[in-house]
Amino acid sequence: MTNLPEKPTIDGLEAKWRARWDADGTYRFDRTKTRAEVFSIDTPPPTVSGHLHPGHVFSYTHTDLVARYQRMRGKEVFYPMGWDDNGLNVERRVQLLTGTIVDPTLPYDPDFRRPEKVDPKARPVPISRPNFIELCEEVVPDFETAYHELWATVGLSVDWDHTYTTIGPKAVRMSQRGFLRLLARDLAYRAESPTLWDVDMRTSVAQAELADREVPGAYHKLRFTGPDGQPLLIDTTRPELLPACVAVVAHPDDERFQPLFGQTATTPLFGVEVPILAHELADPDKGTGIAMICTFGDTTDVTWWRELSLPVRAVVQRDGRLRPLTWGEPGWETTDAAAAQAAYDELAGKTAKQAQARIVELLTEQDLLDGEIRPITHPVKFWENGTRPLEIVTSQQWFIRYPDKAAMLARGKELAWWPDFMRVRFENWVNGLVGDWNITRQRFFGVPFPAWYPIDADGVTDFLSPILADEASLPVDPTTDVPPGYDEAQRNQPGGFAADPDVMDTWATSSLTPQIVCGWEDDPDLFERTFPMDMRPQAHEIIRTWLFSTVVRSHYLHDTLPWTSAAISGFIVDPDRKKLSKSAGNMPDDPVTLIERHGADAVRYWSANGRPGMDMTFDEGQMKIGRRLAIKLLNASKFALGVGQPAHGAAVTEPVDQSMLVRLAALVEEATAAFDRYDYARALERTEAHFWSFCDDYLELVKNRAYSEEPTAESAKAALHLALEVLLKLFAPFLPYVTEEVWSWWREGSIHRSDWPDATELREAAAIGDPLVLAVAADVLTEVRRAKSEAKRSMRAPVDKVKVTDTPERLGALDKVALDVRSAGAIDQLFFAKGEEPSVEVTLAPEPSTS
RNA sequence: GGGCGCGUAGCUCAGCUGGCUAGAGCGCUGCCCUUACAAGGCAGAUGUCGGGGGUUCGAGUCCCUCCGCGCCCACCA
């Protein structure tokens, strides 16, 4: 029955139990269960564009802790895993790894093969879009295999049969269907509009992916000419956008400029007459108090342009360079076309930065720059992963309308946040929303829009009248599939059609992860049993993106929250509270190395110390402690089981055994309550503390009795077995490997499918147990150990007598465990004395003389 | 600029709705090869609970304020 190893070890447990769990389907989702019996988790699909680092292990372990706890509580846990292999980041990684770059004008090359060796300094090889997508499909699964391997080793109790990818056919179908549904209800639309644009990646960027960075800039004071012919000084940090100036603006209450409103000013160098307007957003304290409006220098320009109904005079094109143009033509009227052209020709073709340098020279030559250039540092918008500031260009994009703010805020209130204060991040974001959600990316590897555009007889494409795919035909790729009613020969021909060239924003797909994993409309039976989901675990940095957008989609599609609770995990930081990153040079060893060094249970132990929402310091010392705990668990278990099975039906009759079980019952209640509020860290801390005192005190106390031939040995054996089972279960979510190993020594099946301990049952087994008995015994033992330690004697050193002075109540409790105390302390005589001042006097036996 | 969070032993962190001499682990010191465990065990020392006010019989715990750190949001002139 019981099968104890000679020398237990935690090494090798990962491989052993991974294989067993896999073979037994321990974590397989049983889809016969009803919604009420299921606990479903909306897994964050890690992006495969990078490498998993300890921070990932940290937060993914948190989810697994909850999954394992819920499973033991009797829930059928639906815990899939996804890979986010869609989006700009993945595309960029594949480009770097394969040394390629997409050139959409190239035709497909069926003979193209991935280069064997890639020189990072060499110029990337241009390839066609279909070739690049093939390359992605070839390379990305390798990334995913590495991720799977790590997650399985960490011990995530995922059902791998439900794995999905965000670029896979299922996700594409869901994304396209979700898009068409919104379009049908006019919740999505296509429009031409100024768009934030990354000039390096040459794609539009959504508000959610913006990051402000402080960068150096400089005020340049330009000499415009006012209506009276006098100079009108205007400060700008973007003098190169002067040719794109369409107006100047000041605050309506600003008395300095009130007389000028409604009149015109003339731009320097280009001689364009622009209106002088008033708007609330103009800040009298910034610069000279009057600003130039360009199309477009920043998002304020966009606001002014829209609210003041200004024309577009765009100069920056999609590659970030100033475009060629002819002055004097409609829209580009000027008082001196020749001079404007001469000046502009110096700028055309240059990047914004180069153009800025040149225009400053031109302005200086003509004395149109007033005073010195004043360097400043100011926040500028970047794509969060980009290296150059964003520009704003006008282009056609698909948008999803945001629901009104009140509805979103109500959803935020409805959702249970762990920790609760994270709701504020959501509310901040909702309150700051501007415009609609641009879901278009001018990229190659992504979910295509299920749309084509008609080309008229003259060869002009009508980009505002899309031909949409039938839902039944999804997923489609418009670049290879043909729209209803057309044939392939008509592609890009007059009278034919053109494919929508763009792909969806990665969040347009990720916002549907609940629909993807639960099988929205593809698998109504599964959907019924799992949606709305129970839990969304995620990091706080993506509340504004992933969490928010998922709430939006579910609000529209199902008029419900996608899940009832959101568990937000913190970051891992270094001891200086800096976020871990490669560039900061503070990145610890990779998770595989850490697991090899300390064991998966130990790494999980470290992770479990991070409370929800709290950042935690990376600390390998914690892993060492976790490793020690796992080893201790093996040894203590070996001992507890080594006393032999209790006789069938043996009851726990000894007061100290009952006392221990009563205390254990209190621990079960505490750990359960903590888990129920996602405070796994507390559950672990309490269990661990209890376990150590269990080993130090209780095991020492019962050791001799349990091995003895006395009838009371049965009580000890029964209590040891019961306590061990309970402790193992409490540790099981945290240390799945070592607990499963011990479980297998004397129990059938997996501990991870066993029932969570029940405090009521424990109390019944403990009968009238008094927690004081064990507490007093432990106190006396500590005093005895202290005496031996101070006398520099062995813990086995015999004690002649111990005199305990204490209250009658405590002495009464001690009396019930006197035999065990004497045995554990090697105490010959134990005396009690009632007294106000508790004390323990220890008289050691004389040290035997040694030579 | 607005908001959220954090600041407790050298280090990493607990201290839940205010209540006995402020806790744990690591590290440090000392002791012990105890037949579950020496990659271990036992014991010990260590803190003006960021500063200053206030409420209270009583505050690490509540209120105000200041300081430091981190993060989120914010219209780049």
Side-chain angles (χ1 to χ4, degrees):
Chain A
M1 190 91 186
T2 309
N3 184 15
L4 299 181
E6 192 66 25
K7 180 82 180 168
T9 172
I10 63 166
D11 295 325
L13 293 184
E14 290 88 354
K16 173 182 175 183
W17 289 109
R18 259 188 68 181
R20 178 71 71 80
W21 294 333
D22 220 29
D24 293 353
T26 306
Y27 308 122
R28 191 176 299 144
F29 176 61
D30 175 2
R31 62 180 295 167
T32 65
K33 302 286 186 188
T34 65
R35 183 66 196 84
E37 298 167 302
V38 166
F39 187 87
S40 55
I41 300 171
D42 184 17
T43 313
T47 173
V48 294
S49 68
H51 295 279
L52 292 171
H53 58 73
H56 290 107
V57 173
F58 177 70
S59 55
Y60 278 78
T61 298
H62 296 165
T63 305
D64 188 59
L65 299 176
V66 175
R68 288 179 180 277
Y69 167 70
Q70 292 292 345
R71 192 178 290 114
M72 292 177 76
R73 285 299 299 260
K75 292 282 189 181
E76 185 60 28
V77 175
F78 181 60
Y79 185 13
M81 182 55 64
W83 310 124
D84 185 9
D85 48 11
N86 171 24
L88 249 70
N89 294 309
V90 174
E91 195 176 309
R92 216 160 62 147
R93 184 173 178 204
V94 173
Q95 280 183 2
L96 289 173
L97 193 73
T98 59
T100 57
I101 187 156
V102 175
D103 181 347
T105 64
L106 289 177
Y108 177 67
D109 174 5
D111 297 326
F112 174 78
R113 293 290 172 272
R114 177 183 173 186
E116 297 262 324
K117 271 189 182 170
V118 175
D119 176 3
K121 276 178 275 183
R123 186 179 293 267
V125 181
I127 62 173
S128 75
R129 172 177 163 151
N131 281 118
F132 182 72
I133 289 171
E134 277 184 7
L135 208 48
C136 289
E137 287 166 351
E138 183 187 328
V139 172
V140 166
D142 291 344
F143 303 161
E144 291 166 3
T145 304
Y147 278 38
H148 180 154
E149 195 56 24
L150 175 61
W151 282 157
T153 307
V154 166
L156 301 190
S157 57
V158 160
D159 181 351
W160 294 101
D161 291 342
H162 285 268
T163 305
Y164 66 99
T165 66
T166 56
I167 196 67
K170 188 159 74 167
V172 172
R173 186 166 58 244
M174 296 283 180
S175 303
Q176 294 183 335
R177 183 192 296 143
F179 169 76
L180 291 175
R181 294 287 171 92
L182 292 181
L183 212 51
R185 292 164 61 193
D186 193 36
L187 296 169
Y189 61 94
R190 185 169 175 82
E192 175 148 21
S193 125
T195 307
L196 288 155
W197 191 269
D198 186 290
V199 297
D200 288 316
M201 293 305 280
R202 297 198 194 169
T203 180
S204 57
V205 172
Q207 187 189 357
E209 291 178 285
L210 300 185
D212 280 4
R213 289 186 207 155
E214 290 283 336
V215 296
Y219 275 119
H220 304 70
K221 196 169 285 178
L222 306 188
R223 271 186 222 273
F224 281 54
T225 307
D228 49 2
Q230 293 300 304
L232 180 66
L233 300 178
I234 296 185
D235 264 319
T236 179
T237 56
R238 302 284 312 262
E240 72 277 16
L241 293 180
L242 182 58
C245 178
V246 291
V248 298
V249 65
H251 195 275
D253 298 340
D254 193 330
E255 293 179 1
R256 293 172 296 178
F257 303 106
Q258 276 172 349
L260 302 180
F261 292 147
Q263 306 194 61
T264 60
T266 308
T267 65
L269 281 186
F270 302 101
V272 176
E273 276 195 51
V274 294
I276 302 171
L277 303 172
H279 194 279
E280 303 280 342
L281 280 181
D283 182 351
D285 297 327
K286 264 191 184 167
T288 56
I290 183 162
M292 67 174 193
I293 303 175
C294 306
T295 52
F296 297 93
D298 61 34
T299 52
T300 315
D301 278 345
V302 176
T303 307
W304 280 329
W305 168 80
R306 188 176 285 135
E307 296 188 6
L308 298 172
S309 303
L310 296 166
V312 176
R313 207 168 283 148
V315 296
V316 177
Q317 53 190 16
R318 294 180 176 200
D319 60 0
R321 294 174 186 274
L322 272 60
R323 70 186 182 94
L325 64 88
T326 309
W327 289 82
E329 290 193 345
W332 298 91
E333 292 85 0
T334 160
T335 54
D336 186 347
Q341 194 68 46
Y344 190 81
D345 285 348
E346 296 285 323
L347 309 177
K350 289 188 160 60
T351 65
K353 202 174 172 183
Q354 295 163 342
Q356 180 173 110
R358 184 62 187 133
I359 199 170
V360 165
E361 291 170 4
L362 295 175
L363 289 162
T364 306
E365 283 165 17
Q366 301 191 26
D367 194 28
L368 294 170
L369 209 50
D370 190 87
E372 297 295 306
I373 296 171
R374 286 127 49 222
I376 53 161
T377 303
H378 61 166
V380 173
K381 290 203 186 309
F382 283 72
W383 174 44
E384 56 191 358
N385 297 318
T387 51
R388 274 203 281 174
L390 295 174
E391 293 293 348
I392 296 174
V393 303
T394 301
S395 60
Q396 290 201 351
Q397 310 282 340
W398 290 105
F399 292 88
I400 293 177
R401 295 185 204 284
Y402 287 132
D404 69 75
K405 290 181 182 177
M408 284 296 95
L409 292 174
R411 291 294 183 203
K413 290 257 187 294
E414 197 184 333
L415 182 64
W417 297 78
W418 304 95
D420 191 63
F421 66 77
M422 286 295 177
R423 178 184 288 109
V424 176
R425 307 263 177 124
F426 178 86
E427 291 173 346
N428 274 348
W429 176 249
V430 170
N431 286 322
L433 283 174
V434 179
D436 284 330
W437 175 12
N438 178 356
I439 55 165
T440 320
R441 291 294 173 278
Q442 284 65 39
R443 300 308 307 164
F444 315 108
F445 187 60
V447 176
F449 289 91
W452 300 261
Y453 303 97
I455 304 176
D456 69 15
D458 299 328
V460 177
T461 308
D462 181 1
F463 282 108
L464 291 175
S465 308
I467 309 161
L468 301 173
D470 288 334
E471 271 199 22
S473 67
L474 304 180
V476 300
D477 180 349
T479 64
T480 52
D481 294 318
V482 174
Y486 290 83
D487 62 57
E488 182 60 34
Q490 292 172 281
R491 187 182 294 278
N492 298 328
Q493 298 300 318
F497 66 91
D500 187 308
D502 297 332
V503 298
M504 292 184 195
D505 166 21
T506 192
W507 300 111
T509 296
S510 296
S511 58
L512 294 171
T513 51
Q515 287 80 2
I516 294 168
V517 295
C518 298
W520 173 51
E521 297 206 354
D522 283 4
D523 188 345
D525 176 73
L526 181 64
F527 197 71
E528 175 79 12
R529 296 170 197 280
T530 51
F531 187 90
M533 305 186 81
D534 292 276
M535 174 190 181
R536 155 59 74 84
Q538 66 161 78
H540 55 68
E541 64 177 341
I542 53 174
I543 288 174
R544 67 170 175 170
T545 49
W546 194 33
L547 192 147
F548 170 74
S549 63
T550 311
V551 170
V552 169
R553 302 304 290 275
S554 187
H555 176 77
Y556 279 149
L557 286 173
H558 315 291
D559 192 24
T560 173
L561 276 177
W563 356 259
T564 50
S565 68
I568 309 296
S569 62
F571 288 139
I572 296 305
V573 295
D574 74 5
D576 296 327
R577 308 253 155 225
K578 296 274 186 291
K579 217 174 136 178
L580 299 183
S581 70
K582 268 191 210 132
S583 52
N586 58 0
M587 193 57 93
D589 286 326
D590 69 272
V592 174
T593 306
L594 292 171
I595 289 173
E596 279 169 5
R597 192 178 297 148
H598 305 288
D601 282 340
V603 174
R604 292 174 63 100
Y605 172 89
W606 159 73
S607 302
N609 281 304
R611 316 178 104 75
M614 303 294 260
D615 292 348
M616 207 182 71
T617 314
F618 178 80
D619 185 3
E620 240 179 297
Q622 288 296 316
M623 297 179 196
K624 290 182 183 160
I625 299 164
R627 182 180 176 85
R628 200 181 58 151
L629 173 64
I631 293 170
K632 184 83 174 176
L633 209 45
L634 282 180
N635 288 313
S637 301
K638 184 186 164 197
F639 171 76
L641 296 173
V643 302
Q645 291 276 351
H648 185 71
V652 178
T653 53
E654 285 298 292
V656 68
D657 300 335
Q658 295 176 337
S659 177
M660 182 273 291
L661 291 181
V662 164
R663 294 159 67 90
L664 194 56
L667 171 68
V668 168
E669 280 161 353
E670 202 177 354
T672 305
F675 256 119
D676 282 339
R677 47 172 209 273
Y678 288 80
D679 195 354
Y680 29 80
R682 186 175 181 83
L684 173 60
E685 184 210 319
R686 304 307 305 156
T687 304
E688 188 186 4
H690 191 103
F691 173 67
W692 281 102
S693 74
F694 174 80
C695 291
D696 293 348
D697 300 325
Y698 181 72
L699 286 188
E700 293 300 326
L701 279 168
V702 298
K703 220 175 208 177
N704 296 315
R705 173 160 53 90
Y707 273 112
S708 76
E709 300 294 320
E710 302 295 320
T712 54
E714 287 305 311
S715 173
K717 288 178 188 175
L720 280 172
H721 275 70
L722 186 52
L724 182 67
E725 176 177 336
V726 169
L727 285 167
L728 282 177
K729 285 177 173 180
L730 294 178
F731 277 124
F734 304 100
L735 312 172
Y737 289 107
V738 74
T739 52
E740 186 77 314
E741 172 70 11
V742 172
W743 189 258
S744 73
W745 292 346
W746 98 109
R747 300 294 292 262
E748 296 296 315
S750 171
I751 190 173
H752 302 299
R753 281 284 180 175
S754 71
D755 294 335
W756 188 249
D758 184 279
T760 311
E761 283 175 19
L762 264 180
R763 287 222 159 78
E764 278 167 20
I768 48 161
D770 175 3
L772 198 58
V773 174
L774 181 54
V776 177
D779 287 347
V780 172
L781 270 191
T782 297
E783 289 305 320
V784 172
R785 288 191 197 118
R786 189 202 319 271
K788 292 179 181 177
S789 191
E790 280 170 359
K792 300 188 193 298
R793 300 282 297 275
S794 157
M795 288 301 132
R796 296 170 82 191
V799 177
D800 274 350
K801 67 174 181 186
V802 172
K803 181 179 167 193
V804 179
T805 308
D806 215 319
T807 63
E809 189 194 10
R810 285 173 61 88
L811 291 176
L814 182 59
D815 190 41
K816 293 176 182 161
V817 62
L819 279 176
D820 286 341
V821 170
R822 284 175 54 199
S823 159
I827 300 162
D828 186 26
Q829 290 178 291
L830 181 61
F831 297 103
F832 296 167
K834 289 175 187 148
E836 291 302 307
E837 287 287 312
S839 71
V840 178
E841 289 173 45
V842 180
T843 309
L844 295 175
E847 196 159 5
S849 56
T850 50
S851 47

